[in-house]
């Protein structure tokens, strides 16, 4: 037995196998949840590269396997990440019982999660880009089935992901060429540009950011919430692997200056757009763009503290986005995502409204919510970089807060006619769990911080400078 | 050496011809000729690579192209309607000239790129031409068929170069799988629309 087989190959094919049972939503949820729980339990209890004794038999639990001449390897240090991924998949699968989703959603979650584990496992890591592309391709039919508009966002998503793959794959090859001769500035600069263009497509960096808003606005919020979150996370993971793998990249100062500049531009553009959006899903999309900007700026600072904040915000965003997606999905089926239609929602659906507000501000970082200490540190770091940079980033940050207040005012608007109640008892219970979880992370941050420290320990080469 | 030169010339010519036909016939309702042109591109790719890769690999590449065209055309091809040659029109002439301008443009920048991507010039030229024509086809088209032919062209262009850079079987398998999945996705999207015409 080996780790990649257990956490990547088996769940992927099990997900594919579950497609056969997708007619029965309950059965597929039970089977997929069981697999996730089993994998979480193994990742939490059985160390990789150890001997497992069952009665008189023993199994050597190794960390790698060979496929077609390439190695898939999951080290012991990745186990917290594996546990997180399958816990994340588990909550999406379990909570999908309370909302109306496509029948292939549950198998898809399992397959996509397995593919993200594949990104972590494959060596050389750049092949992970192909796993990401496969994850996109298997998700798109479900996007298309549930589309509410023309499908333009879906096609753009496919194009940009394909272009991103092309640039990253070529960039990955060039990066290994630079490794042989890092003093060759000619190749080095071109490699940087190629890699940058690849990430521009994948991380919805300006000017190629429109796809994320169009895609989220026209597709099922629960589906787009999961797929976009997991893909954005994979993109950051590949970026981290690039930084971890190449010394010349970690020591190339213009890269970090560039990351800070791009981050600032993305925060300003994302937050500015967020203020003027008329749809909740587009608001969330531009929040992702702005948060990607904050993440890139923090990576660009290249210090232990900034890296810790970067990782923490990434995970908080993933958790908060889940509850956002659940809340939006709990709205009536024919809801058009328009902010105008949400006026006074608090009176008919208080828990949906509360969850939308709490999850938005959890990411943006309002006091008493999980993102606050990290966003405050981010602003502090921005001002320590330079006062002008701090001012620019603060403006972006305050615009994000303003967009959140606009959402809050809309939800609490004293509408003349209250809308019909749409949240069910089950949904209400799950939304309460969501709000409680976000507050728990704020008031009892120890387990979260311990987890972040474990993840961070894998990337000491980057965070250590 | 002379044989290599000849196959490269013929291969390159077929790729250019195939990409130009797809681009010139942009948004035409009968897509059979465009699908044949797409297969023609793959014949060109096989000829370009004939002296570099084993016959097994070349057959896999050719089959990927052929099957991609077959999958994409499954719902679109009506064999009862006779195939008619297109009439020359100003749009077609403009697109043909635009394609030629692109070819000249790539010819001028290709030596610069060849310094850092060490693949034969003919292959790099064809790869860049496919990517650029694919992007243009995608951008200017309002029909799903041509948008997907554009994406497939972009990916074929990348595949052509990347096959030479990374000789891993795993990567080759991935590229074939992605190519076919894109074609399958195109066929699926088109089959769910009554009319292939895509509202933009």
């Amino acid at each position: 037995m080996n780790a990649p087989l257990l956490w990547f190959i088996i769940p992927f094919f099990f997900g594919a196998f579950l497609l056969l049972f997708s007619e029965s939503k309950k059965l597929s949820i039970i089977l997929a949840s069981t697999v996730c729980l089993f994998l979480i339990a193994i990742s939490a209890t059985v160390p990789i590269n150890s001997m497992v004794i069952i009665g008189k038999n023993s199994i050597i639990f190794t960390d790698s396997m060979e496929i077609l001449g390439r190695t898939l390897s999951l080290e012991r240090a990745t186990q917290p990440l594996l546990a997180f991924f399958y816990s994340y998949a588990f909550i999406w699968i379990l909570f999908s019982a309370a909302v109306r989703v496509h029948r292939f959603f549950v198998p898809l979650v399992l397959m996509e999660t397995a593919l993200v584990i594949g990104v972590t496992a494959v060596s050389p890591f750049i092949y992970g880009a192909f796993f990401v592309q496969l994850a996109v391709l298997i998700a798109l039919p479900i996007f298309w089935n549930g589309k509410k508009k023309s499908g333009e966002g879906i096609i753009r998503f496919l194009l940009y992901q394909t272009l991103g793959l092309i640039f990253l794959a070529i960039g990955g090859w060039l990066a290994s060429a630079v490794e042989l001769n890092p003093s060759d500035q000619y190749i080095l600069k071109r490699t940087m540009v190629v890699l940058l263009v690849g990430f521009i497509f994948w991380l919805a960096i300006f000017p190629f950011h429109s796809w994320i808003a169009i895609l989220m606005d026209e597709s099922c919020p629960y589906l787009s919430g999961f797929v976009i979150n997991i893909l954005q996370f994979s993109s950051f993971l590949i970026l981290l692997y690039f930084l971890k793998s190449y010394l010349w990249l970690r020591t190339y100062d213009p890269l970090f200056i560039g990351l800070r500049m791009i981050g600032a531009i993305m925060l300003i553009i994302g937050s500015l757009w967020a203020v003027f959006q008329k749809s909740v899903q587009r608001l969330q999309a531009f929040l992702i763009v702005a948060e990607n900007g904050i993440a890139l700026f923090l990576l660009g600072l290249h210090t232990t503290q900034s890296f810790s904040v970067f990782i923490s915000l990434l995970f908080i965003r993933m958790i908060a986005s889940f509850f956002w997606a659940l809340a939006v999905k709990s709205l009536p089926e024919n809801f058009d995502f328009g902010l105008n239609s949400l006026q006074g929602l608090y009176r008919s659906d208080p828990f949906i409204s509360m969850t939308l507000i709490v999850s938005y501000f959890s990411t943006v970082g309002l006091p008493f919510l999980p993102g606050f200490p990290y966003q405050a540190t981010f602003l502090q770091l921005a001002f320590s970089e330079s006062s002008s940079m701090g001012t620019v980033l603060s403006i972006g940050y305050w615009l994000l807060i303003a967009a959140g207040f606009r959402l809050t005012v809309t939800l609490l608007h004293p509408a003349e006619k209250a809308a019909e109640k749409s949240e069910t008892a089950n949904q209400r219970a799950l939304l309460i769990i969501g709000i409680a979880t976000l507050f728990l992370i704020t008031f009892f941050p120890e387990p979260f911080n311990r987890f972040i420290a474990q993840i961070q320990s894998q990337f000491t080469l980057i965070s250590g400078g | 050496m002379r044989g290599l030169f000849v196959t490269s010339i013929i291969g390159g010519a077929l790729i250019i011809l195939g990409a130009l036909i797809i681009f010139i016939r942009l948004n035409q309702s009968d897509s059979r000729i465009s699908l044949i042109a797409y297969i023609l591109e793959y014949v060109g790719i096989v000829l370009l690579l004939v002296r570099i890769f084993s016959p097994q690999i070349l057959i896999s590449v050719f089959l990927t192209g052929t099957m991609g065209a077959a999958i994409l055309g499954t719902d679109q091809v009506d064999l009862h309607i006779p195939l008619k040659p297109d009439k020359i029109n100003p749009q077609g002439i403009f697109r043909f000239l635009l394609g030629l301008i692109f070819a000249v443009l790539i010819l001028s920048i290709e030596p610069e790129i060849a310094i850092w991507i060490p693949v034969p010039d003919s292959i790099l030229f064809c790869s860049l031409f496919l990517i650029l024509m694919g992007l243009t086809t995608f951008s200017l088209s309002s029909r799903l068929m041509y948008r997907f032919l554009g994406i497939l062209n972009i990916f074929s262009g990348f595949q052509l170069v990347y096959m030479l850079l990374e000789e891993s079987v795993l990567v080759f398998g991935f590229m074939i799988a992605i190519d076919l999945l894109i074609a399958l996705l195109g066929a699926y999207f088109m089959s769910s629309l009554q009319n292939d015409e895509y509202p933009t």
Side-chain angles (χ1 to χ4, degrees), chain A residues 143-455:
Chain A
F143 271 103
W144 189 261
N145 254 349
K147 72 183 163 62
K148 295 194 172 187
K149 289 172 188 168
S150 68
E152 175 66 24
I154 300 168
I155 306 277
R156 278 197 204 187
F157 179 45
L158 173 64
L159 177 74
Y160 288 158
Q161 290 291 318
T162 308
L163 289 173
L165 164 74
I166 292 172
F167 281 97
L168 286 177
I170 299 278
W173 182 86
L174 286 169
S176 51
V178 175
E179 184 82 337
L180 299 174
N181 183 15
S183 59
D184 188 344
Q185 290 292 313
Y186 181 82
I187 300 286
L188 195 147
K189 281 177 188 163
R190 275 149 189 81
T191 305
M192 295 301 309
V193 171
V194 172
L195 286 177
L196 180 69
V197 174
F199 282 111
I200 282 177
F201 286 119
W202 273 17
L203 290 174
I205 295 173
F206 179 80
F208 298 104
H209 62 288
S210 60
W211 63 267
I212 197 164
I214 305 174
L215 182 71
M216 289 190 80
D217 198 33
E218 70 180 12
S219 51
C220 162
Y222 205 68
L223 174 69
S224 61
F226 175 75
V227 173
I228 287 179
N229 261 312
I230 208 100
L231 289 181
Q232 292 287 300
F233 191 88
S234 310
S235 307
F236 274 113
L237 212 56
I238 291 179
L239 177 58
L240 292 181
Y241 285 137
F242 263 112
L243 291 169
K244 187 181 166 185
S245 304
Y246 299 113
L247 175 68
W248 58 268
L249 200 59
R250 287 198 302 276
T251 50
Y252 190 63
D253 279 340
L255 167 72
F256 294 99
I257 297 168
L259 283 178
R260 293 198 290 269
M261 297 302 289
I262 291 170
I265 292 169
M266 280 180 78
L267 174 58
I268 290 289
I269 285 176
S271 55
L272 201 61
W273 258 245
V275 172
F276 296 106
Q277 289 314 307
K278 290 177 179 166
S279 142
V280 265
Q281 280 299 85
R282 290 180 75 95
L283 174 65
Q284 173 73 355
F286 284 107
L287 175 64
I288 292 174
V289 172
E291 285 294 319
N292 279 354
I294 292 176
L296 289 176
F297 178 81
L298 288 166
L299 263 185
L301 287 176
H302 204 209
T303 62
T304 313
Q305 193 186 15
S306 68
F307 190 77
S308 173
V309 175
F310 159 78
I311 292 279
S312 307
L313 284 176
L314 208 56
F315 280 98
I316 287 171
R317 191 212 305 188
M318 282 188 88
I319 298 165
S321 298
F322 166 69
F323 293 112
W324 173 280
L326 182 70
V328 178
K329 191 62 193 171
S330 301
L331 290 165
E333 199 55 39
N334 54 356
F335 183 69
D336 63 354
F337 303 143
L339 270 178
N340 284 340
S341 324
L342 284 177
Q343 276 197 351
L345 187 81
Y346 188 75
R347 291 168 68 193
S348 59
D349 298 305
F351 292 98
I352 294 178
S353 310
M354 275 305 290
T355 312
L356 286 175
I357 295 167
V358 170
S359 59
Y360 182 90
F361 283 116
S362 292
T363 312
V364 174
L366 221 57
F368 305 113
L369 286 169
F372 176 67
Y374 306 105
Q375 296 285 17
T377 316
F378 152 69
L379 286 178
Q380 190 189 342
L381 289 168
F383 274 104
S384 66
E385 166 70 10
S386 73
S387 55
S388 53
M389 183 62 96
T391 311
V392 168
L393 291 172
S394 306
I395 292 169
Y397 180 75
W398 282 108
L399 284 172
L400 273 187
I401 298 271
F405 279 128
R406 186 168 161 244
L407 172 73
T408 311
V409 168
T410 308
L411 291 170
L412 302 179
H413 189 269
E416 287 171 13
K417 193 180 162 190
E420 272 184 45
K421 205 177 200 63
S422 69
E423 56 189 29
T424 62
N426 284 346
Q427 287 168 352
R428 225 172 291 150
L430 296 177
L431 294 170
I432 291 170
I433 292 174
I435 296 168
T437 308
L438 293 169
F439 278 111
L440 276 176
I441 296 174
T442 317
F443 293 108
F444 303 100
E446 264 312 300
F448 180 75
N449 290 343
R450 245 196 332 267
F451 168 74
I452 293 297
Q454 282 174 331
I455 301 293

Side-chain angles (χ1 to χ4, degrees), chain B residues 14-193:
Chain B
L14 287 177
I15 289 172
I16 293 169
L17 185 68
L20 276 177
I21 289 173
I22 293 172
F23 184 50
I24 290 168
R25 300 197 76 258
L26 202 70
N27 294 340
Q28 298 259 350
S29 54
D30 186 0
S31 46
R32 279 178 291 177
I33 295 173
S34 304
L35 289 170
I36 294 168
Y38 180 67
I39 297 174
L40 209 62
E41 284 175 12
Y42 270 84
V43 176
I45 290 174
V46 168
L47 286 174
L48 264 184
L49 302 173
V50 75
R51 298 291 176 101
I52 303 169
F53 289 104
S54 64
Q56 291 92 325
I57 297 271
L58 293 175
I59 289 170
S60 310
V61 170
F62 180 67
L63 279 178
T64 309
T66 320
M67 292 315 295
I71 293 168
L72 206 55
T74 311
D75 210 29
Q76 303 295 313
V77 175
D78 189 354
L79 294 171
H80 298 292
I81 302 168
L83 205 60
K84 284 181 196 162
D86 294 332
K87 286 180 185 161
I88 295 171
N89 56 37
Q91 276 183 343
I93 295 170
F94 172 74
R95 287 183 192 139
F96 175 74
L97 289 174
L98 190 64
L100 287 186
I101 292 168
F102 282 158
V104 174
L105 185 78
I106 291 166
L107 213 56
S108 65
I109 60 164
E110 187 267 334
E112 171 81 7
I113 297 171
I115 298 171
W116 40 291
I117 301 180
V119 293
D121 285 344
S122 56
I123 293 178
L124 190 59
F125 171 81
C126 290
S127 164
L128 292 171
F129 188 73
L130 277 175
I131 291 174
L132 196 56
M133 291 305 284
L135 264 177
T136 319
T137 306
F138 179 91
S139 316
L140 296 180
S141 175
S142 59
R143 296 192 85 95
L144 272 179
M145 168 65 84
Y146 287 90
R147 292 197 125 188
F148 271 90
L149 279 173
I151 295 178
L152 283 169
N153 267 352
I154 293 169
F155 196 76
S156 306
F158 160 69
Q159 196 178 354
L160 191 56
V161 162
Y162 206 65
M163 274 172 74
L164 289 155
L165 298 178
E166 284 282 353
E167 290 175 5
S168 155
V169 183
L170 182 70
V171 173
F172 183 66
F174 266 132
M175 288 196 290
I176 285 183
I178 289 170
D179 218 337
L180 289 176
L181 276 171
I182 292 174
L184 195 62
L185 211 58
Y188 179 74
F189 284 10
M190 280 184 274
S191 69
S192 66
L193 291 179

